[in-house]
Amino acid sequence: MNEYRLAYDESIAHPDIFWGRVADSFTWKQRWSKVRSGDYHQVNYTWFDEAKLNITENCLDRHLLALGEQTAYIWEPNDPKEAVRHISYNDLHNMVCRLANGLSAMGVKKGDRVCIYMPMVPELAVSLLACARIGAIHSVVFGGFSAQAIADRVNDADCHWMITADGVYRGDKKLVLKSIVDEALERCPGVRNVVVLNHRNFDITMYPKRDIWWHDVIEHQSETHDAVAMDAEDPLFILYTSGSTGKPKGVLHTTAGYMVYAGYTFANVFQHQHDDIYWCTADIGWITGHSYMVYGPLLCGATSVLFEGVPSYPDWGRLWDVVDKHRVTIFYTAPTAIRALEAQGLEHFKGKSLSSLRVLGSVGEPINEEAWNWYHENVGHQRCPIVDTWWQTETGGILIAPLAGITPTKPSFATLPLPGVIPVLVDAQGNELLEKNAEGNLCIKQSWPGQARSVYGDHDRFISTYFATYKGLYFTGDGCRRDDDGYYRITGRVDDVINVSGHRIGTAEVENAIDEHENVYECAVVGIPHAIKGQCLFAFVACHHQPQNMTALSKEIHKLVSEKIGSFARPDYLCAVSGLPKTRSGKIMRRIIRKIAEGEPDKIGDITTLLNPEVVEEIKIKVAEVIKAPVS
Ligand code: PRX
């Protein structure tokens, strides 16, 4: 702990010395002239100016001499009876070089955007790395998103290339990814070529000229490739994420700072050792997968399990089977998975040893005390420290978390900031709360290397979303409590972002989808607590004609949300009302409907200033009926 305190103090007092030293442990083609530049007022911060590097040389080439034959990925297929694949650092290097050469031969160049929509297979990691190798900017779209959502993202980033696969089985569900891509690309005239991995031999359509098999792209390609020299601030990737308003934002991360931060935080938070077997259950389609399934672990020469399946298939003991089978030492998952397992009782632990585990991690949403204790006791056998890691797509890496086995933990607290991170709590007026024991909105005071640099194509939106609410501070969108020990506990979003099973969903996006229904003239979506998912969506609709059949309406709305976003964004509850409470200026008062939906109708406060206070009574009655008998 003393070492942490010293490192933290140095990182704040002398950030250039601190981060310069961390960066020295990586391989550079040219050294930086300055560690940090710019500030939050102009939102022009940069890291490691004038340095040149390629992140894949740091993930792969520099390990080959010592670790070439070490396994980089253990691929555990959806079906446990199918063969496991072991991909060594040499194999991964060969695969990345061949695809990099293949993509270059197709005409993909530095700065081009490549959209990736793939299942959890090693080739997904290879795709990210091959793009990074040639300087193309990858934009991964999670495999659960719909055709419309892919099209929106492809067009926003003006991607001319796509990489996908025929499809995948997740549990017993068959997903034909290629046909979803085909549908998406009807709306994307800019896409020239689609590289298709034949993963499951599904019967798919290959469009001549546009579609090329992965195996044809890499055929005859060399197993070596001269990695393109990237400037420190050249973009590395775009990752779309939801906010309070409007369409999802393409969060932009650049090369050097992201690399230094992903590598540093992986090594330190998990206290990674060379003989560890690390398993993060997140999909590579989200930021956790980018930073802690691909870049962070590879930068540290780690061996990771890459799991194609789901926790419930073929039964709820699957995760523990995988832990025992591969002797996993570090296990990193989301509270939703923990709560879902907890709800199954203890039967699924029967015959499972879990004795290899050393460290447990949690990410993506607040972990409640009960789930924390269950995890600690039943998975960690009270022996494994839990690192509750708080961070975001925008932060690139973990900002607040214990260091495994070093920081004393407290259930449901993400504990202390990592070196270089200065969290502050502010009140609604933007005053910094200086006393230790306080609760407010969580902001960060100065830049760290892994911080996002912009929203792709819209820097003004980046500034207005994160830097306009509180001048000179990065606003996270989260509420937070700090206790007498200076420990931080994240309480959840304070904006209109809802965290369902760790998936970040913007209410505006779901409302736009529901608004497409011909009978709906107005709607509002709020998040309410859910025992397993953390939060779930509660949708209110006002209809032109009183719906005759709520089950049918609910199905139609589910279909719309699945088509526009993906099935993970479907509301759990649907309530038809004659109108929504509004202010005199016409703004929907979500606070009121949220309180009613949360089952606290007495806490809605004063409604006399509403334009239409009469709807409130009706909403209370309708919500009570819906909760008793949800139609969805
Ligand atoms: O509300 C916080 C929650 O997830 C949000 C970020 O979501 P996303 O960008 O999708 O990244 C998720 C993976 C890093 C945050 O604003 N969140 C994330 N981790 C935690 C958390 N809330 C509480 N505790 C955490 N450990």
Side-chain angles (χ1 to χ4, degrees), residues 34-111:
K34 203 165 172 217
V35 173
R36 298 174 308 148
S37 304
D39 59 45
Y40 277 178
H41 290 280
Q42 299 183 65
V43 193
N44 61 349
Y45 48 87
T46 56
W47 286 82
F48 308 109
D49 287 354
E50 286 177 56
K52 289 195 186 293
L53 72 155
N54 189 287
I55 193 169
T56 71
E57 285 185 335
N58 282 276
C59 289
L60 302 170
D61 303 56
R62 71 175 173 144
H63 301 314
L64 296 185
L65 206 56
L67 306 176
E69 282 313 306
Q70 184 190 298
T71 302
Y73 287 118
I74 303 170
W75 181 68
E76 171 71 27
N78 180 58
D79 180 350
K81 294 196 282 300
E82 202 185 316
V84 166
R85 284 168 73 187
H86 287 265
I87 315 265
S88 69
Y89 273 88
N90 281 332
D91 298 335
L92 194 61
H93 180 260
N94 289 354
M95 291 164 84
V96 169
C97 289
R98 290 182 72 188
L99 185 63
N101 285 318
L103 292 175
S104 295
M106 283 167 53
V108 186
K109 296 181 306 298
K110 180 177 171 188

Side-chain angles (χ1 to χ4, degrees), residues 241 286-288 362-367 388-394 400 414 476-478 490-493 499 502-504:
T241 192
W286 304 111
I287 191 67
T288 307
S362 172
V363 61
E365 36 175 334
I367 179 164
D388 175 7
T389 62
W390 173 82
W391 59 297
Q392 311 176 295
T393 305
E394 297 86 341
I400 305 181
T476 65
D478 279 320
I490 314 300
T491 49
R493 301 287 305 196
N499 196 326
H503 295 161
R504 192 166 149 178

Side-chain angles (χ1 to χ4, degrees), residues 451-518:
Q451 183 167 25
R453 302 295 194 264
S454 197
V455 166
Y456 185 76
D458 197 349
H459 196 60
D460 286 345
R461 190 171 177 205
F462 186 63
I463 297 172
S464 62
T465 308
Y466 305 107
F467 299 94
T469 318
Y470 304 112
K471 285 277 167 260
L473 296 175
Y474 165 74
F475 177 41
T476 65
D478 279 320
C480 184
R481 204 192 113 199
R482 185 172 51 214
D483 74 3
D484 289 327
D485 294 327
Y487 272 31
Y488 290 86
R489 177 189 188 163
I490 314 300
T491 49
R493 301 287 305 196
V494 292
D495 53 9
D496 286 325
V497 171
I498 302 175
N499 196 326
V500 179
S501 302
H503 295 161
R504 192 166 149 178
I505 298 174
T507 49
E509 287 166 71
V510 184
E511 288 166 5
N512 287 342
I514 297 176
D515 273 334
E516 300 264 316
H517 193 281
E518 55 180 12

